């Protein structure tokens, strides 16, 4: 595997693990400042990228180890790029931007979908908090908790609870807690999606009933249910956000059934906006350009999508989670009170170009 060199990182075979023909899993390690990066690849084409022992990407679509390494190394290079750009490798604890104008002071909201510091939900949470809002944060399960907890701590989140939308009663428990603690709610950020691998990575024409139902359930219906639970708490109005993607409008290679779910989600936004508008509750879909997050690592050839986005977008730039966060936070401000039912593209203008 001599060609497995990176132009940005010096990957070395982990001597603690067997490497070579007979080895089942091969692991490569590299350092980036004080961070330790590790890639492991299995012969059947599964690969992981870990930073300081924490998994940040997982791929299982490549046909063999060689392709798995190439793909996961690209993700690692993106990771390096992103972290160089934001300089976060030098920080030990996540920091929030120092914003003087607390434009969202007094507002309280729920952020669902932080998995780690690459999550779009984390970009949103940072922006809302920096602008003075208080945020409640959820984590999907105990495995995720240890990654989300330091972020919730940085956000000074007064409510930090488990929420797996597949677990009956957990969503209700979160809203009950909010009612008890705050007695009101000003915004919700729904930043979750899920599709079983066979459904996501296959053709839409082949999708099973179960794959379709799960995709729609987690990625779309849960937004409807959150709106339902938020409505009585938004006594003086509020804003509901969900995350969509351009693959809802155009056929984007490898986006498959998730495109169908996002189309339903954007339509849901319009119906909810119409129904809840008279109560001062606004509803938006935010449609970011591609971002190298954990969820995105389930989409084959995601790197090609990033390259295309950068080359085609009028801004000639990829978006960051902070770009998404501030634009979302703007829509929660009272100044945006007459904007509702939108799908707002935060993609450097990509969607306007043929
Ligand atoms: N990354 C992109 O390029 C991109 C672009 C446009 C839209 N989006 C959308 O943004 C949203 C957030 O994704 P992300 O890219 O930040 O990735 P992410 O992996 O950081 O976030 C996805 C979140 O969904 C949560 N989730 C999945 N199943 C769940 C369940 N059963 N219960 C509760 N939570 C569950 C995960 O725990 C995770 O926090 C998704 O809706 C995604 O489709 C992503």
């Amino acid at each position: 595997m001599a060609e497995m060199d990176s132009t940005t990182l010096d990957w070395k075979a982990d001597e603690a693990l067997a490497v070579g023909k007979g080895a089942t899993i091969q692991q490569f390690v590299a350092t980036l400042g004080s961070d330790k990066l590790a890639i492991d690849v299995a012969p059947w084409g599964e690969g992981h990228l870990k930073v300081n022992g924490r998994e940040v990407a997982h791929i299982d679509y490549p046909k063999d180890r060689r392709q798995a390494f190439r793909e996961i190394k690209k993700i690692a290079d993106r990771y390096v790029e992103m972290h160089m750009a934001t300089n976060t490798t030098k920080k030990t604890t996540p920091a929030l931007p120092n914003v003087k104008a607390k434009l969202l002071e007094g507002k309280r909201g729920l952020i669902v979908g932080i998995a780690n510091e690459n999550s779009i939900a984390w970009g949103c949470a940072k922006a809302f908090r920096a602008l003075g809002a208080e945020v409640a944060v959820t984590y999907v399960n105990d495995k995720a908790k240890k990654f989300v907890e330091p972020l919730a701590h940085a956000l000074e989140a007064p409510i930090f609870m488990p929420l797996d939308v597949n677990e009956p009663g957990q969503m209700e428990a979160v809203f009950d807690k909010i009612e008890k603690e705050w007695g009101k709610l000003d915004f919700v950020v729904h930043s979750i999606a899920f599709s079983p691998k066979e459904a996501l990575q296959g053709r839409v024409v082949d999708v099973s009933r179960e794959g379709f139902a799960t995709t729609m359930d987690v990625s779309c219906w849960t937004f409807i249910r959150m709106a339902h639970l938020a409505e009585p708490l938004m006594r003086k109005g509020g804003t509901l956000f969900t995350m969509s993607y351009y693959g809802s409008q155009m056929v984007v290679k490898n986006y498959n059934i998730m495109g169908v779910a996002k189309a339903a989600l954007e339509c849901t936004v319009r119906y909810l906006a119409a129904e809840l508008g008279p109560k001062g509750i606004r509803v938006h879909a935010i449609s970011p350009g591609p971002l190298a997050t954990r969820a995105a690592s389930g989409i084959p050839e995601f790197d090609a999508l990033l390259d295309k986005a950068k080359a085609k977008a009028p801004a000639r730039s990829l978006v960051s989670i902070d770009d998404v966060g501030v634009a979302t936070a703007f829509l929660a401000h009272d100044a945006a009170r007459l904007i509702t039912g939108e799908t707002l593209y935060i993609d450097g203008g990509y969607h306007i170009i043929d």
Side-chain angles (χ1 to χ4, degrees), residues 151-165:
L151 306 180
H153 189 75
L155 295 164
E156 302 165 300
I159 298 172
F160 179 59
M161 289 179 75
L163 174 53
D164 178 339
V165 295

mmCIF file of all heavy atoms in Angstrom, residues 151-165:
data_model
loop_
_atom_site.group_PDB
_atom_site.id
_atom_site.type_symbol
_atom_site.label_atom_id
_atom_site.label_comp_id
_atom_site.label_asym_id
_atom_site.label_seq_id
_atom_site.Cartn_x
_atom_site.Cartn_y
_atom_site.Cartn_z
ATOM 1 N N LEU A 151 -19.984 19.853 23.870
ATOM 2 C CA LEU A 151 -20.560 20.916 23.031
ATOM 3 C C LEU A 151 -21.742 21.563 23.763
ATOM 4 O O LEU A 151 -21.887 22.790 23.774
ATOM 5 C CB LEU A 151 -20.986 20.355 21.672
ATOM 6 C CG LEU A 151 -19.886 19.604 20.893
ATOM 7 C CD1 LEU A 151 -20.422 19.096 19.561
ATOM 8 C CD2 LEU A 151 -18.678 20.493 20.652
ATOM 9 N N ALA A 152 -22.556 20.719 24.404
ATOM 10 C CA ALA A 152 -23.686 21.242 25.186
ATOM 11 C C ALA A 152 -23.155 22.114 26.326
ATOM 12 O O ALA A 152 -23.741 23.150 26.667
ATOM 13 C CB ALA A 152 -24.515 20.090 25.734
ATOM 14 N N HIS A 153 -22.031 21.693 26.862
ATOM 15 C CA HIS A 153 -21.400 22.444 27.945
ATOM 16 C C HIS A 153 -20.951 23.821 27.437
ATOM 17 O O HIS A 153 -21.198 24.845 28.074
ATOM 18 C CB HIS A 153 -20.213 21.636 28.474
ATOM 19 C CG HIS A 153 -19.623 22.201 29.709
ATOM 20 N ND1 HIS A 153 -20.242 22.086 30.938
ATOM 21 C CD2 HIS A 153 -18.492 22.906 29.914
ATOM 22 C CE1 HIS A 153 -19.509 22.710 31.833
ATOM 23 N NE2 HIS A 153 -18.443 23.209 31.238
ATOM 24 N N ALA A 154 -20.306 23.832 26.275
ATOM 25 C CA ALA A 154 -19.853 25.109 25.679
ATOM 26 C C ALA A 154 -21.046 26.029 25.404
ATOM 27 O O ALA A 154 -20.924 27.255 25.476
ATOM 28 C CB ALA A 154 -19.091 24.842 24.387
ATOM 29 N N LEU A 155 -22.189 25.413 25.118
ATOM 30 C CA LEU A 155 -23.400 26.199 24.817
ATOM 31 C C LEU A 155 -24.129 26.625 26.098
ATOM 32 O O LEU A 155 -25.126 27.332 26.023
ATOM 33 C CB LEU A 155 -24.373 25.364 23.970
ATOM 34 C CG LEU A 155 -23.917 24.976 22.568
ATOM 35 C CD1 LEU A 155 -24.783 23.849 22.011
ATOM 36 C CD2 LEU A 155 -23.969 26.189 21.638
ATOM 37 N N GLU A 156 -23.633 26.108 27.244
ATOM 38 C CA GLU A 156 -24.293 26.342 28.539
ATOM 39 C C GLU A 156 -25.766 25.918 28.450
ATOM 40 O O GLU A 156 -26.664 26.625 28.929
ATOM 41 C CB GLU A 156 -24.191 27.811 28.957
ATOM 42 C CG GLU A 156 -22.750 28.286 29.052
ATOM 43 C CD GLU A 156 -22.626 29.800 29.111
ATOM 44 O OE1 GLU A 156 -23.068 30.478 28.160
ATOM 45 O OE2 GLU A 156 -22.112 30.290 30.108
ATOM 46 N N ALA A 157 -25.984 24.776 27.809
ATOM 47 C CA ALA A 157 -27.361 24.314 27.598
ATOM 48 C C ALA A 157 -27.990 23.895 28.922
ATOM 49 O O ALA A 157 -27.498 22.973 29.570
ATOM 50 C CB ALA A 157 -27.361 23.141 26.617
ATOM 51 N N PRO A 158 -29.084 24.525 29.329
ATOM 52 C CA PRO A 158 -29.709 24.158 30.594
ATOM 53 C C PRO A 158 -30.491 22.845 30.497
ATOM 54 O O PRO A 158 -30.804 22.238 31.510
ATOM 55 C CB PRO A 158 -30.654 25.330 30.882
ATOM 56 C CG PRO A 158 -30.914 25.969 29.569
ATOM 57 C CD PRO A 158 -29.772 25.643 28.657
ATOM 58 N N ILE A 159 -30.810 22.434 29.261
ATOM 59 C CA ILE A 159 -31.520 21.165 29.069
ATOM 60 C C ILE A 159 -30.681 20.320 28.117
ATOM 61 O O ILE A 159 -30.335 20.757 27.015
ATOM 62 C CB ILE A 159 -32.937 21.410 28.487
ATOM 63 C CG1 ILE A 159 -33.776 22.253 29.468
ATOM 64 C CG2 ILE A 159 -33.624 20.089 28.160
ATOM 65 C CD1 ILE A 159 -35.120 22.710 28.929
ATOM 66 N N PHE A 160 -30.336 19.121 28.563
ATOM 67 C CA PHE A 160 -29.500 18.224 27.770
ATOM 68 C C PHE A 160 -30.070 16.823 27.950
ATOM 69 O O PHE A 160 -29.989 16.253 29.035
ATOM 70 C CB PHE A 160 -28.055 18.310 28.278
ATOM 71 C CG PHE A 160 -27.099 17.413 27.542
ATOM 72 C CD1 PHE A 160 -26.922 17.531 26.169
ATOM 73 C CD2 PHE A 160 -26.354 16.447 28.218
ATOM 74 C CE1 PHE A 160 -26.032 16.708 25.482
ATOM 75 C CE2 PHE A 160 -25.466 15.621 27.543
ATOM 76 C CZ PHE A 160 -25.305 15.760 26.173
ATOM 77 N N MET A 161 -30.718 16.327 26.914
ATOM 78 C CA MET A 161 -31.495 15.083 27.078
ATOM 79 C C MET A 161 -31.303 14.125 25.912
ATOM 80 O O MET A 161 -30.996 14.549 24.804
ATOM 81 C CB MET A 161 -32.989 15.431 27.144
ATOM 82 C CG MET A 161 -33.396 16.112 28.420
ATOM 83 S SD MET A 161 -35.148 16.502 28.370
ATOM 84 C CE MET A 161 -35.904 14.895 28.623
ATOM 85 N N PRO A 162 -31.538 12.831 26.166
ATOM 86 C CA PRO A 162 -31.482 11.872 25.054
ATOM 87 C C PRO A 162 -32.702 12.027 24.147
ATOM 88 O O PRO A 162 -33.799 12.315 24.631
ATOM 89 C CB PRO A 162 -31.519 10.509 25.757
ATOM 90 C CG PRO A 162 -32.172 10.761 27.068
ATOM 91 C CD PRO A 162 -31.864 12.179 27.451
ATOM 92 N N LEU A 163 -32.489 11.884 22.862
ATOM 93 C CA LEU A 163 -33.624 11.841 21.943
ATOM 94 C C LEU A 163 -33.276 10.989 20.723
ATOM 95 O O LEU A 163 -32.568 11.435 19.817
ATOM 96 C CB LEU A 163 -34.048 13.254 21.494
ATOM 97 C CG LEU A 163 -35.142 13.287 20.406
ATOM 98 C CD1 LEU A 163 -36.364 12.478 20.790
ATOM 99 C CD2 LEU A 163 -35.541 14.715 20.064
ATOM 100 N N ASP A 164 -33.766 9.769 20.770
ATOM 101 C CA ASP A 164 -33.745 8.923 19.579
ATOM 102 C C ASP A 164 -35.192 8.907 19.122
ATOM 103 O O ASP A 164 -36.066 8.414 19.849
ATOM 104 C CB ASP A 164 -33.252 7.515 19.947
ATOM 105 C CG ASP A 164 -33.266 6.575 18.736
ATOM 106 O OD1 ASP A 164 -33.996 6.854 17.758
ATOM 107 O OD2 ASP A 164 -32.564 5.559 18.782
ATOM 108 N N VAL A 165 -35.456 9.435 17.945
ATOM 109 C CA VAL A 165 -36.851 9.573 17.517
ATOM 110 C C VAL A 165 -37.543 8.216 17.309
ATOM 111 O O VAL A 165 -38.763 8.168 17.177
ATOM 112 C CB VAL A 165 -36.979 10.447 16.239
ATOM 113 C CG1 VAL A 165 -36.557 11.871 16.514
ATOM 114 C CG2 VAL A 165 -36.206 9.857 15.065
#
